[in-house]
Amino acid sequence: IQIDETRILYTEQAPPGPSGESGHATGSLDPQAVLAPIPSRTVSSSGGDCPDCDRFRRVLEVTKQISRELDLKKLLARILEKAIEISNADRGFLILVDEQELEVSLARNFERESLQDPVAQISKSICEEVARSGIGVTTHDAQEDHRFRELRSVCELQLRSIACLPLKYQDEVLGVLYIDNRFQDSRFGP
């Protein structure tokens, strides 16, 4: 799974059985997985060393936590919950590609409550574009952004801040992580 520049390697092949035959799919994390470092900044524990250090420390701690999770469903739920927490998003959605169709796998709000009818609460057009292109999208205010202001979902749902990032395995997009804030603009990005 790749979220922006962070990668988590996941294997579905079990270790060989006692007689050397190939195991069945188990869904376990590869113990040899290497997580890509957070690029371009060094974070120390001294505090006050850069404006974004607290956020980087939180991301580093989340990376440690999710690297220990062995259950795929729990891993995806933790990724979604931590993305909402770190970004101060109002809501988050984990959307997986299933035979070229997008399917909402998880949907949570800031209070970690599941959302009813999640498909009706997102901009499907933005999710489809990110899944197709493999390139993440952020907008400070979708209502004013020329790329999105004409989309029916953006208007009807009154979406403001949106970040939609591809979840990749190697070069294949497995899904998207979609977070938004309907009440405040400029919540995501620099």
Side-chain angles (χ1 to χ4, degrees), residues 127-163:
C127 294
E128 288 171 344
E129 175 60 24
V130 170
R132 184 195 62 72
S133 70
I135 299 170
V137 167
T138 59
T139 181
H140 295 288
D141 188 349
Q143 298 289 312
E144 300 296 325
D145 191 320
H146 71 278
R147 300 171 297 169
F148 309 119
R149 66 180 173 224
E150 302 297 323
L151 295 177
R152 193 174 96 202
S153 59
V154 169
C155 296
E156 289 178 3
L157 297 170
Q158 299 180 345
L159 299 174
R160 303 287 299 239
S161 297
I162 299 171

Side-chain angles (χ1 to χ4, degrees), residues 4 15 20 25-26 34 37 62 66 94-95 121 131 134 151 169 180 183:
D4 199 25
T26 61
V34 177
V62 168
I66 63 176
L94 200 128
I95 302 155
Q121 298 184 46
L151 295 177
Y169 174 70
D180 69 17
F183 308 110

